[in-house]
Every structure is written in structure tokens, then in C-alpha cells.
Amino acid sequence: MNLSVPSFDDLSARIAAVRDDHDQRFPGPATGRQPVHTVYVPADRFSRSTPADFGAEALRLLNTHTPGAGSFGSAFGLDPEIAGPVRERVAAKLASEPVEDIRIDFEDGYGVRPDDEEDAHIAQVVEAVGAAYQVKGLPHYWGIRVKSFADGGHERSMRTMDAFLTALRDRLGRLPGGFTITFPKVIAAEHVGLFVEYLDRLETSLGLPGGILRFEIQVETTEAIIDPDGRIGLRAIIDAAGGRLTAAHFGVFDYTAALGLPPEQQRLDHPACDFARHAMQVAFAGSGIRISDGSTNVVPRNDGPDEVNEAWSVHAAHVRHSMAHGIYQGWDLHPAHLPSRYAAVYAYHLSGVDEVIGRVRAWHEQSAGKGSGVLDEPATIKSLTSRLQRAVDCGALDASALPVPVER
């Protein structure tokens, strides 16, 4: 073959270097199971039975207010064809695994307390976690939320982490799997870097393997979205995290308050929140860092049907809004949020699932040379397969229904 340019070896090497740098910074989506929610419980209210208690109360509300498929479908606006199967699966989920991820809260949900009081609650939480672990009562994912470095609570934050992990090591001799620390109100990448430095020291002092302490941030300040220099601040936060960052959770109320939105507009589905979430999606895409939406602050004030159904309606609508924007995890704050969370999630996964399975099956048949005539792009099939994987992970769908094995 005759070429006009005799050699492009130098260009080839530089192209490969750019590709390798990109692949290191953007390794791809996170692998493994993503929880559909994170349940936040103030530290002073956490006990060994809290996850089961949430499930029992949620199941009681479900059976009281939606005893059959018809009332269930009406409460959550479901197509009659799927209302029965969705209700059956939601009830089973609440009985078997009501909480997929729990965060024991020492921050806003807990408040600022005297040191001796917080220290006492740390000891109480450690005993509860140890007891739950020994009877396999901890959710698949769990952890603590500590105070922010942004508002003067940094010394209490570090003291709480140290005391909690030291006591847990002494109680169990190990750190149970699935543990995550939530680092809230990030205003600067430098704070994240300092947080990582502290985790390095803590691992050394406790004799833990380096890098075992992973954390998630809460994106709830305007500075995290647009930094003081006018740049998207999230990429610098990723770099400062040193490979320890597992997820980014959006904080609805601090963020909307910072924008000056009036209280009645401080809600998860406000367009201002969509902007922030979309910035997060772009910044974290391909990084292996998961995104979670925030919370709904509407909860029933009593057991009356009007109160419960109003809370369910608002919460389910917010869950559907998140999923429509490609965010499949959110916060739950009350047992009443569990029925509406799973109703919305399961309905999403089961609506049109036969068509999704058919498209994935047809694409694989075409790839195997069986000539199905399907024109779906590989990226579309990857998205559909991810949807099926999420459905299996959360219990909306049985793995046996899939056209091909789900990759973990």
C-alpha cells in the first residue's frame, strides 16, 4: 500500500496516550447492585431492629390503605394490568428486604448536640449495628452520615468517625461489608481532599487496609455545581477524592434554599433541581460514581387515608420524575415512603417489560447471525439490559425471565 505520509508512529503513540488517560479518568459505569434508595434515620433513633421496623410499618400501611389490587392501582395510578403483580411484589419486598441501604445520621437529621451526648449515641449505635450484624439484620448497604466540613462541624465530624469505627472494630473485630460514609454539604474540592487525608490516617490508626473506607458526597451547594472560578466543580471533587468516591447524592432543600426559592417551591421536581442533576449526570458519566436523587419531605401526619394517600401521591410522583431523568436511587425518610418507592419503581420496570425483553432477545439473535432485522444500536441494547438488571436487583423481576444472563 502506498502512503503519502511515510510515518505516523509519533502521532499514534500520542493518540494512545490520550485514550489511556481518558480510560483512567472514565473507567465506565459502576458495577454491581445499586440500591433504589437510601433510608436516613437519626442516630438517636436507630436500633438493631430499625430496618425490620420500617418494613413492618410500611406493610401495615400498605395492607390498611390498599388491601387489594384495585385500591393499590388507584393509590399509585397504575394500569390495572400490572397493579396486581406490582402489589404482590411490593408486599413481598416489604416483608423480606424493606430497606436496601440505610444511613445512620449524625448531621441535619440529628442536629448539633453536646459532645458527651453524641459520644453516648455513637456507643448506642455501635451496639445496635453489632447486634444487627450478628443476626444478619443489616441491609445490603449501610453507613453513617457525619457533619460537614463547611460549617464548623469538622472536628465533631472527625471525632464521630474515629469513635464509631474504633468501637465497631473492638465490638466485631472487623468492618462489615457494604459500609459507606456520607460527606455532606461539599463546597470545595479542597475539603474533599482533606477528608481523604483524614481517612488515610484513620485507616492507619485502626489497622484497616488502605482505601477500604469509601464515601459518597452530597451535592447540595451551588459551589459544588459552579466553582468560584466559574467552572463545573464536580470534576475537581472527583480528582480530590483519590478513588474513594462511590456516589454523589443530590440535596434538594439546601440547594433550593441557596438559590432563594420560596419554601413552597423547594421540591425535588423543581426545574432548578433538574439543572443541578443534569450537571451531575454529565460530570459523573463514565466515572464509576453513582448518582442518587434527594428526598421528599411530605410524610403523613397521621394514619388517616387522606394523609397517607397524599404522601404516597407526592412521593411516587417524585420517584417517577427521578427515573424519567435517568436517576434510579433516592432518599426515603419515613416508613410510608417505602410502599410508594417500590410501587413506582416496580411499575416502571414492569411496564412494557415484555417489549424490552423482546428487543434484547432479538438483538442477540441478530448478533448470532439469525437475522431478526432489529435495528437497535448497541448503546440502546446496553441501556435496556441495564434496565433489566436493575429490575432483577431490586426484586421487580425474576432473573429467570431474562433473555440472556444478567451480567454483574
Side-chain angles (χ1 to χ4, degrees):
M1 179 184 297
N2 294 324
L3 298 175
S4 299
V5 178
S7 175
F8 44 74
D9 289 348
D10 61 324
L11 294 177
S12 181
R14 287 155 63 191
I15 290 167
V18 171
R19 182 198 62 221
D20 292 344
D21 179 67
H22 174 274
D23 291 348
Q24 183 175 5
R25 292 170 65 86
F26 299 94
T31 58
R33 173 184 179 183
Q34 180 177 11
V36 301
H37 67 180
T38 301
V39 172
Y40 279 78
V41 179
D44 58 322
R45 301 180 194 172
F46 181 79
S47 73
R48 59 176 287 181
S49 63
T50 293
D53 293 343
F54 262 60
E57 175 61 8
L59 190 58
R60 185 189 70 81
L61 291 171
L62 180 77
N63 289 331
T64 298
H65 297 284
T66 59
S71 56
F72 181 83
S74 297
F76 299 108
L78 304 186
D79 188 308
E81 292 185 1
I82 66 169
V86 170
R87 190 194 185 284
E88 181 180 346
R89 286 185 177 270
V90 169
K93 180 73 169 181
L94 295 177
S96 62
E97 190 193 28
V99 176
E100 295 191 354
D101 183 21
I102 198 165
R103 208 63 74 245
I104 304 164
D105 189 17
F106 287 94
E107 204 232 357
D108 280 352
Y110 175 77
V112 177
R113 312 205 185 188
D115 280 339
D116 58 349
E117 184 176 350
E118 184 159 337
D119 290 343
H121 284 139
I122 291 168
Q124 174 184 312
V125 166
V126 167
E127 284 302 307
V129 167
Y133 173 73
Q134 290 173 335
V135 297
K136 299 182 179 179
L138 281 178
H140 190 82
Y141 296 108
W142 69 285
I144 60 173
R145 178 167 71 167
V146 295
K147 289 177 171 59
S148 170
F149 280 16
D151 52 13
H154 52 281
E155 291 185 357
R156 181 64 258 187
S157 178
M158 292 184 282
R159 176 171 172 163
T160 294
M161 282 185 282
D162 190 337
F164 176 82
L165 289 168
T166 299
L168 191 66
R169 178 201 60 185
D170 295 343
R171 173 75 163 75
L172 296 178
R174 66 185 301 274
L175 179 63
F179 176 73
T180 301
I181 301 167
T182 302
F183 186 55
K185 294 184 179 65
V186 173
I187 61 170
E190 290 81 1
H191 274 170
V192 174
L194 291 165
F195 187 71
V196 169
E197 282 191 42
Y198 179 69
L199 295 181
D200 286 338
R201 297 184 189 184
L202 195 53
E203 286 170 345
T204 299
S205 297
L206 292 170
L208 295 172
I212 196 173
L213 296 178
R214 312 293 295 278
F215 69 96
E216 60 200 13
I217 60 166
Q218 288 190 259
V219 178
E220 48 190 333
T221 68
T222 55
E223 300 95 316
I225 301 295
I226 305 294
D227 72 13
D229 296 320
R231 299 171 298 190
I232 296 292
L234 298 169
R235 290 303 310 178
I237 289 171
I238 295 173
D239 293 339
R244 292 180 183 265
L245 187 61
T246 60
H249 292 220
F250 180 58
V252 174
F253 301 103
D254 281 85
Y255 183 79
T256 53
L259 294 178
L261 296 183
E264 66 273 11
Q265 294 298 327
Q266 293 177 13
R267 50 186 172 81
L268 183 145
D269 57 353
H270 193 281
C273 296
D274 291 338
F275 167 78
R277 282 187 291 260
H278 295 163
M280 291 171 65
Q281 285 175 301
V282 173
F284 291 118
S287 67
I289 298 165
R290 294 189 171 111
I291 297 176
S292 171
D293 219 331
S295 62
T296 298
N297 64 353
V298 177
V299 299
R301 291 171 293 186
N302 56 56
D303 268 6
D306 291 344
E307 283 286 324
V308 173
N309 280 286
E310 172 64 16
W312 279 349
S313 177
V314 172
H315 184 240
H318 285 171
V319 175
R320 288 191 291 267
H321 184 88
S322 298
M323 292 190 294
H325 285 257
I327 299 179
Y328 304 102
Q329 181 180 351
W331 295 3
D332 290 332
L333 306 177
H334 189 277
H337 286 162
L338 302 188
S340 42
R341 170 72 60 183
Y342 290 119
V345 169
Y346 285 14
Y348 169 83
H349 286 308
L350 294 181
S351 296
V353 68
D354 291 338
E355 178 187 355
V356 173
I357 290 173
R359 289 171 67 179
V360 173
R361 179 182 290 114
W363 189 87
H364 281 279
E365 289 175 350
Q366 181 190 47
S367 298
K370 297 183 181 180
S372 68
V374 176
L375 298 179
D376 276 322
E377 293 289 334
T380 301
I381 295 301
K382 186 175 182 179
S383 177
L384 293 175
T385 302
S386 294
R387 172 179 168 175
L388 294 176
Q389 177 177 313
R390 286 191 293 270
V392 170
D393 286 344
C394 72
L397 192 67
D398 295 330
S400 60
L402 300 182
V404 294
V406 172
E407 296 181 3
R408 300 305 309 145

